[in-house]
Structures are given as C-alpha cells and as structure tokens.
Amino acid sequence: MIDWIGKRYWMIGASDGLGEALARKLSAVGAEVILSSRSEGKLQEVADSLPGRAHVVTVDVADLESVRRAAEEVGQIDGMVYTAGVYWPMTAQNWDAEQAEAMGDINFVGAMRSVGAVVQQMAARDAGHIVLTGSLSGFRGLPGAIGYAASKAGVMALGESLQCDFYGTGVRVQIANPGFIKTRLTEKNDFSMPFLMTAEEAAQEIFEMMCDEGATVRHFPRLFSYLFRFSRVWPDWLYNRVFAK
C-alpha cells in the first residue's frame, strides 16, 4: 500500500474536470498537490477547497519556456500527472486547421514538454512517478476524431516508450485510457456516448491504478474498452465498415 502522506504531485490540467477530481483524491489521502493550468483563478478556487496542502503554479503547456519556468518553480516532485487536453469533434470533410493543431499541441506535444521538464530529475534520483492520460480513442482511428484520436495515440506511445526505458528502475510510468467522461469537452458531442462516466468515477479508476505499484496501464470502462483494444486485430475492411457507422 502506498503511503501518500507528504508526497508532492504536480497536477497539470487541474483546474476542472478529471484533473480537479483526481487532485481531490490525492489531497484527501495526504499528498501535497501543485495545481497547474493556464487559469490561475480557477486553480486557486480548487486549491482553496482541498483538504490538504495545495499550491498553484500557472503554466501554458503549448509554450516550452512556460513549462520550463513552471517546473523550476515547482521543484523536486515525487510524481507528475498530465490530464491537460482540448477537444473538438471534427471530420476530415470539416477540417479546422487551428483546432486540429491545438489538439496535437496541447494533448500530445504538451505532454512531451511536461515529461521532458521532469524526467531527468527522476532519472537522476532513480525515483519518480509519471501518469499520462491517453484514451480508448487512441487505439485506432475513429470517424469524427481528426486531431483528438491521433493526439491520444501519441500520448499512449509516449508512455509505452517511457515504460521501456525505465523498466527495472525506480521510476514508474502509468497510462490511463478512459472512455467517455462527462466534462465540458464531451458536452460538444451530439452523439450517444456509451458508458459515460462522471469525472469522479474516472478519477477513482486512475487513483486505483496509481495505488497499484505493479500496474502499467488501465483501460476503462473495462467492458467498453474491449471493443477498442480488440479492434486492433480486425482487418481494415471490417473495422472501417463497423466504425464508420
């Protein structure tokens, strides 16, 4: 059982939704949380409402210098959790260049920037914990998911590469791949979202993964995840026929 008391965790994307819910989980078990996003006002509201020690450090994950400055201000940490993300539903026929680029830059490249800002200190100490948020949509391309699915596939591959490099060391890397979560992002969808979870339910799934020192990944909801995980072995003609509908 992990003793969370006094552990310092940098929560990037903690101003609302999944990030806020997970910050509450960690604070409740005694971890010190450093909350980051671009919105200082929202972060401070979250920090003031938490039961444990909490600090606010603003960051723009689309700006490398901003990430570096924030990491320097945060200092030595025991773990980093990346839940920052943006999303717009988008088909190839309705391509929006700015939105597509933002999804790639915030969801994936932002994770790269953030990992890069902390990974060397963890490697030098042979101790640390990195948690990345992928998505069930990252297993294979989906209709109407231009930008988002690709960005999450990148995050998942990033986490898997980190796991290979840190295998057998004191640095843990975990990947959470959720399905639909009820947040301000999924409110943009105009289609049915099976197995829709609340942010609190999703945060509980990730927290349970974080408590399991042997876990490398968690896909959830479990039943829904089987469809996406097994679709990787479907022939293209079958996959495209089923998922395009």
Side-chain angles (χ1 to χ4, degrees), residues 209-230:
M209 177 189 71
M210 293 173 67
C211 289
D212 184 349
E213 295 186 273
T216 57
V217 64
R218 179 171 287 206
H219 317 289
F220 57 93
R222 182 179 297 178
L223 181 62
F224 193 38
S225 76
Y226 290 147
L227 175 64
F228 295 87
R229 293 158 65 187
F230 294 147

Side-chain angles (χ1 to χ4, degrees), residues 139-166:
F139 280 104
R140 200 162 175 177
L142 291 169
I146 290 292
Y148 188 78
S151 69
K152 289 300 185 178
V155 172
M156 292 158 69
L158 168 63
E160 290 163 357
S161 294
L162 289 167
Q163 288 173 346
C164 288
D165 285 342
F166 284 119

Side-chain angles (χ1 to χ4, degrees), residues 1-4 7-9 26 29 31 77-82 115 118-119 121-132 158-176 205-218:
M1 184 66 180
I2 296 177
D3 181 7
W4 294 100
K7 295 288 177 64
R8 301 187 78 239
Y9 270 73
L26 290 174
V29 294
I77 54 175
D78 296 290
M80 183 199 76
V81 182
Y82 192 88
V115 168
V118 302
V119 71
Q121 64 159 274
M122 292 182 179
R125 298 193 334 261
D126 193 29
H129 188 190
I130 296 171
V131 180
L132 299 174
L158 168 63
E160 290 163 357
S161 294
L162 289 167
Q163 288 173 346
C164 288
D165 285 342
F166 284 119
Y167 180 77
T169 73
V171 179
R172 285 199 300 151
V173 180
Q174 295 180 308
I175 309 164
E205 291 275 1
I206 298 177
F207 178 67
E208 290 176 5
M209 177 189 71
M210 293 173 67
C211 289
D212 184 349
E213 295 186 273
T216 57
V217 64
R218 179 171 287 206

Side-chain angles (χ1 to χ4, degrees), residues 90-96 143-146:
M90 187 187 305
T91 64
Q93 294 88 344
N94 296 290
W95 191 290
D96 184 306
I146 290 292

